[in-house]
Each structure stands twice: as C-alpha cells, then as structure tokens.
Amino acid sequence: LHLPLKSIYPRPSGEKSTKFEFDPVSNSWIQTPISIYIEPKPFAQGALRRAHRMWDLTGGTPEHYVAKISKNPDENAERYFTDVQMQLFARAWAEKYNLLGPPK
C-alpha cells in the first residue's frame, strides 16, 4: 500500500530520527539516520499503541510507513525492539511451515 504524502504546501519539514532494522542473520541492529514526518492524529489504535501515518523524507520520493506509538508514556523503549525481533522470528517460522504445504 502506498499512500501519497498529503498535498500540504509547503511540504512538511522532516524531523531527524534513527531507523533501526534488525538483521536476524547477524542478530544485530542496523542504525540509519533519516528524516521523518508523522501525522499528529492517529488513524487507528489497539489496546497498547496508536498507529500514525509516517513518511521517510530522506530520499527524493517520500516512503510511507506506519509509526506505532505506545499509549503508555512510561513504556520502556526496549519493548519495541523485543517486539520487532519476535515478529521477525515468528515470520521466519511461518515461512518454513508453509514450505511444507500444510492443508488450508
């Protein structure tokens, strides 16, 4: 899904941030400096987090992402990192399972 950055003129200025990507092969985090814009109003929410539209403005064409921000201002940032690792490992196991051709 690709959503265009709202036609706001002038284009919103980006906020400096760091993108963290987990590499399951090396079991390490890769850090990249980026410039982002996050819409202030969430478009959805769950029990623990609010979902905001976010754009990476670093390159020529803005890339759309979803920023999930905790409802609890005291939540430890380490929890985000643990959640990402868990989701990547779960995806890897699901892909291995699906290669076995289970019944649907």
Side-chain angles (χ1 to χ4, degrees):
L1 174 67
H2 176 65
L3 298 174
L5 184 56
K6 284 186 173 180
S7 54
I8 301 171
Y9 187 81
R11 184 170 124 176
S13 60
E15 178 180 334
K16 292 183 180 189
S17 188
T18 302
K19 177 168 57 172
F20 291 87
E21 296 176 278
F22 184 69
D23 179 3
V25 175
S26 66
N27 198 33
S28 63
W29 290 92
I30 299 164
Q31 298 180 41
T32 308
I34 61 172
S35 177
I36 62 171
Y37 171 74
I38 299 176
E39 285 188 350
K41 183 178 177 186
F43 67 88
Q45 63 181 330
L48 301 174
R49 296 189 177 101
R50 293 181 181 91
H52 296 257
R53 288 182 180 86
M54 181 184 91
W55 286 267
D56 179 350
L57 305 174
T58 307
T61 304
E63 293 182 55
H64 178 253
Y65 293 91
V66 174
K68 294 183 180 179
I69 301 173
S70 177
K71 291 180 177 180
N72 176 2
D74 298 324
E75 182 174 25
N76 186 336
E78 189 62 32
R79 177 146 184 189
Y80 284 95
F81 292 96
T82 303
D83 285 352
V84 169
Q85 288 175 298
M86 178 191 60
Q87 290 170 13
L88 284 171
F89 288 127
R91 182 177 75 186
W93 281 108
E95 288 171 356
K96 286 181 182 185
Y97 175 75
N98 287 331
L99 287 175
L100 299 173
K104 299 201 178 207

